[in-house]
Amino acid sequence: MRLGEPPKIVKDQINLRSPDVCNASISMKLLHEKFMLAALSAARQASAAGEVPIGAVIVCGDEIIASAFNTCEADHDALAHAELKVIREAARFKGNWRLNDCTLYVTLEPCPMCLGALFQARVGKLVFGCFAPQNVGTSALRHIGTSSLTDNNHTLSIVGGVLEKECSEILKLFFKLRRDAL
């Protein structure tokens, strides 16, 4: 264990059926859903603007400090992904590019570019809605059974599948309407 690092808890040391553990996991699930709903709201704004409906928020403590959605079409910028925009906004808000005490909520699993940005910004936790099977980034986590990635001397905790159905539906509807319009 390194200085400042929390002690590693062996699975057998925790009674997973205790009321404290159950209540903590339920409240964490509700907290994740609350902030994912905010990201979904940003995704709806993107859809209304004719953008691919992906929304993101960054939470520090229990407060949303930044919110953004894709604006690639409006900005004529392939880099105008919700994750990159929300990272910039949060860094300006905090006056610091290191966001290690923050959680980024995004409606779709980040692409490799955005995942790299999460590491560069030292974001502490990533929570995403629906999986993007075409991504080689975090999709691999489903297959290797891990909940974090380490790169650039930083570990990013990851939770996927929060409000997965709702996050997936907004994307499916957007692309269905685009196909139908052709």
Side-chain angles (χ1 to χ4, degrees):
M1 179 170 61
R2 288 186 277 176
L3 186 62
E5 187 177 278
K8 299 210 185 295
I9 298 173
V10 179
K11 192 175 179 181
D12 295 338
Q13 292 176 325
I14 301 174
N15 178 356
L16 295 177
R17 294 175 196 236
S18 78
D20 292 338
V21 171
C22 292
N23 289 337
S25 64
I26 289 170
S27 63
M28 186 56 68
K29 179 181 186 292
L30 293 174
L31 193 64
H32 287 331
E33 289 177 355
K34 170 188 169 182
F35 292 124
M36 189 59 71
L37 286 171
L40 272 166
S41 177
R44 285 188 199 90
Q45 289 178 288
S47 184
E51 300 282 349
V52 175
I54 299 171
V57 297
I58 289 189
V59 174
C60 196
D62 61 355
E63 177 187 0
I64 295 174
I65 63 168
S67 177
F69 56 86
N70 276 11
T71 57
C72 295
E73 300 300 327
D75 294 348
H76 308 290
D77 182 359
L79 306 180
H81 289 202
E83 298 95 327
L84 299 182
K85 294 177 63 184
V86 80
I87 287 170
R88 284 186 194 110
E89 187 179 323
R92 278 193 295 269
F93 178 86
K94 289 186 61 130
N96 190 339
W97 61 269
R98 293 174 190 88
L99 303 174
N100 54 316
D101 58 342
C102 297
T103 300
L104 189 147
Y105 289 82
V106 63
T107 55
L108 178 67
E109 172 187 18
C111 71
M113 173 183 70
C114 291
L115 189 59
L118 290 168
F119 279 107
Q120 293 302 316
R122 308 295 195 269
V123 173
K125 182 183 274 188
L126 163 66
V127 180
F128 66 88
C130 59
F131 290 87
Q134 72 276 16
N135 281 354
V136 294
T138 52
S139 283
L141 296 177
R142 287 183 282 176
H143 304 295
I144 60 176
T146 186
S147 60
S148 66
L149 288 175
T150 301
D151 186 36
N152 201 24
N153 202 26
H154 174 70
T155 299
L156 174 66
S157 298
I158 301 172
V159 176
V162 174
L163 296 181
E164 183 174 8
K165 181 181 176 197
E166 294 87 339
C167 293
S168 178
E169 286 301 315
I170 192 171
L171 285 162
K172 287 177 184 175
L173 179 61
F174 176 81
F175 287 112
K176 180 186 181 322
L177 293 174
R178 299 260 319 229
R179 283 190 303 274
D180 291 350
L182 295 178

